[in-house]
Amino acid sequence: MAKSKAKRMRDKLTREGRRNPELGRSPFAAADLRTRRTKTKQELLNQSKHKQKNLISYYGEDGSFLLARSSSACHIYEVGA
């Protein structure tokens, strides 16, 4: 297999007694730091459970509400119920 131009330059610097640029690389440069795992059965069930969350019980039929402010308090009224 052929050497790349960068690899040839690094080899030339090493032959001439100069410092090899590969030594300046971080040890984490080639490492894959991501943790990979498959989801458990419980995680898959929880994921689908929260996607089908029913908002009718919180905000009424169409999910709308009215926020009214008075001088002393804030009142919430359901609309369309």
Side-chain angles (χ1 to χ4, degrees):
M1 189 188 294
K3 287 185 182 180
S4 68
K5 186 175 182 180
K7 175 78 172 170
R8 284 193 298 259
M9 293 292 286
R10 288 194 301 268
D11 291 343
K12 181 180 177 185
L13 289 174
T14 306
R15 273 195 318 269
E16 294 174 352
R18 296 192 205 161
R19 187 172 187 278
N20 189 351
E22 286 180 337
L23 299 176
R25 290 184 185 161
S26 169
F28 299 104
D32 185 13
L33 301 177
R34 295 176 289 184
T35 303
R36 298 177 184 182
R37 63 179 181 83
T38 57
K39 290 189 176 186
T40 62
K41 183 177 181 181
Q42 189 63 43
E43 287 173 337
L44 291 172
L45 289 173
N46 286 340
Q47 182 180 8
S48 63
K49 179 176 112 177
H50 293 297
K51 279 186 178 179
Q52 299 168 357
K53 195 171 190 179
N54 189 1
L55 296 177
I56 293 175
S57 61
Y58 292 110
Y59 298 116
E61 290 292 321
D62 59 351
S64 61
F65 60 93
L66 174 66
L67 180 64
R69 293 188 81 173
S70 65
S71 60
S72 62
C74 180
H75 305 284
I76 298 176
Y77 301 102
E78 286 188 22
V79 177

